[in-house]
Amino acid sequence: MKALGVVVTVVCLALFGVFAGLSAVLSRQAMQAVVPVALLVFVAGYMAFLARALRGKKVVLDVDRDRLLVDEGRGGVFPLAGAALGLWRISGTGVTAGTVLHLAGGKRPLRIAGRDHRPGPALRLDAPPVQSIDVLLPADAFEALLAWVPSLAAAPHHAARGPLRCQLLVNPASLRGGLSVMAPWLLTMALVSAVSVVLGSLDVFASAAGQKVAIAIILVIIAAGLVMTVVRSMRKSPALEIEADPRGLLLRDPRSGQILAAAPLGAVSTARGFSRMRTRGGEIVHTTLVLRIPGHSDVSLAVQDMRFGWVDAVPRLPTPRYVVGAPDWFALVDLLGVRRFLVVQDDGFV
């Protein structure tokens, strides 16, 4: 996607340059005839290029003893020794979409993701989370691939199963999520207003030199606010953490480690539903689950994946406060006993 953005930017700049050059040598009437045709050709070519880039291509992965070959070696040969596991996170929300196998070697590292894969307790996640991947596999094929990695195959398969831990991130579509992202910019605007009032009371705007200084100060504040807003929107940290086993469920603050609520698993009830979010591209429906934990307010969460739904008719619920990825969603519905109501559509992406 980064390469696609670079290509589109370069092509747009080249198109503007061509138009500027043509305007210098062609008459106004000729330009009025050439520009619409050129724009139509550009848009058609751009749509074709975009469709091809987003479609991707299928590759063949072969394991030959201690190495992995991509397309019989044409796509690279990567040793399995030194492989590491990490998480695959979705940009924008930060939810976990699967597990990534990092392989070194070749011209650049290879990142193979297992969609919906949740690593077992015996697997260590030594690699940092990533948002971009090279190859995508279904969870079962990814698990089969891990069995060929020497360092991972040597891990004990009968490790004691620990409690289920799921991190809940703030839903960017909720009021809290929107305010959290925009907080630095709102503070920046408030600071600009305050600084302007102070500078005005000191008669800084009375002279040309003072106006230049004031404008420079305000521009620095605005630039810092923009940077903080972008950084905050990119850094997604969990707001809540669920820790559960067949005996009970804990709700914890991941920052302080404080336990916010605790209850036997049988005392935790659920309500299923859906929520709608309107965007410029249309309406998005999210599958929603509400956890009612004694001693705590309801915890509403949705899965950030359009494949999921409920098998029966469920009510529309308010926008959930939290979101999770597909691996955590599967684990939660299994634990809470509502997996039988879950429908997963095959989008043909893998």
Side-chain angles (χ1 to χ4, degrees):
M1 294 304 297
K2 293 179 180 178
L4 176 62
V6 172
V7 171
V8 171
T9 302
V10 172
V11 171
C12 289
L13 292 175
L15 185 65
F16 290 142
V18 170
F19 284 160
L22 290 176
S23 64
V25 297
L26 297 179
S27 64
R28 183 176 181 181
Q29 291 77 11
M31 286 295 296
Q32 290 177 347
V34 169
V35 170
V37 175
L39 287 177
L40 287 176
V41 173
F42 171 74
V43 171
Y46 170 71
M47 296 302 295
F49 175 76
L50 187 63
R52 180 179 178 83
L54 295 179
R55 185 174 67 247
K57 66 175 183 178
K58 292 185 179 296
V59 298
V60 178
L61 304 180
D62 291 310
V63 177
D64 180 16
R65 295 187 298 273
D66 57 351
R67 60 180 186 167
L68 182 140
L69 290 78
V70 181
D71 280 343
E72 299 180 347
R74 294 186 298 272
V77 179
F78 301 87
L80 296 176
L85 285 179
L87 295 178
W88 173 30
R89 290 180 176 164
I90 301 299
S91 60
T93 60
V95 299
T96 301
T99 311
V100 180
L101 178 67
H102 296 254
L103 298 176
K107 296 181 179 179
R108 64 183 183 88
L110 179 69
R111 291 169 292 193
I112 305 175
R115 189 185 195 184
D116 303 338
H117 182 270
R118 186 180 176 91
L123 297 179
R124 294 177 51 187
L125 300 177
D126 296 322
V130 296
Q131 296 181 353
S132 59
I133 58 173
D134 301 304
V135 181
L136 184 60
L137 295 177
D140 53 352
F142 184 77
E143 189 68 33
L145 175 61
L146 296 185
W148 289 91
V149 180
S151 59
L152 303 179
H157 292 280
H158 301 288
R161 183 175 296 276
L164 168 67
R165 289 187 174 89
C166 293
Q167 294 182 337
L168 311 184
L169 287 92
V170 175
N171 186 358
S174 66
L175 178 61
R176 179 185 176 186
L179 290 177
S180 176
V181 173
M182 292 303 298
W185 183 244
L186 296 176
L187 291 175
T188 300
M189 292 296 96
L191 183 59
V192 167
S193 300
V195 170
S196 300
V197 171
V198 172
L199 295 178
S201 64
L202 298 176
D203 291 332
V204 175
F205 295 102
S207 63
Q211 291 177 5
K212 293 180 180 179
V213 173
I215 292 175
I217 294 174
I218 292 175
L219 288 178
V220 169
I221 296 175
I222 292 176
L226 285 173
V227 171
M228 291 178 61
T229 302
V230 172
V231 171
R232 188 175 180 85
S233 65
M234 296 175 61
R235 291 181 178 178
K236 303 294 183 180
S237 58
L240 285 179
E241 184 178 68
I242 292 177
E243 180 179 318
D245 56 32
R247 295 171 298 175
L249 183 144
L250 298 177
L251 194 64
R252 179 180 286 110
D253 184 343
R255 299 179 182 86
S256 63
Q258 177 186 1
I259 296 177
L260 305 176
L265 194 60
V268 178
S269 61
T270 60
R272 296 177 293 112
F274 70 92
S275 62
R276 296 185 186 274
M277 183 180 67
R278 297 186 182 277
T279 65
R280 293 182 178 179
E283 194 174 59
I284 301 177
V285 178
H286 290 300
T287 305
T288 304
L289 191 65
V290 179
L291 278 61
R292 297 191 172 103
I293 306 171
H296 194 274
S297 58
D298 292 351
V299 178
S300 59
L301 55 99
V303 56
Q304 288 291 96
D305 198 312
M306 301 302 296
R307 294 174 296 155
F308 294 95
W310 300 117
V311 69
D312 53 349
V314 292
R316 179 177 179 177
L317 300 176
T319 302
R321 296 187 62 181
Y322 307 102
V323 290
V324 296
D328 289 338
W329 181 259
F330 278 122
L332 283 173
V333 297
D334 280 336
L335 180 73
L336 298 171
V338 296
R339 178 66 176 266
R340 64 186 184 277
F341 301 109
L342 189 66
V343 175
V344 185
Q345 300 177 355
D346 183 10
D347 58 5
F349 192 64
V350 180

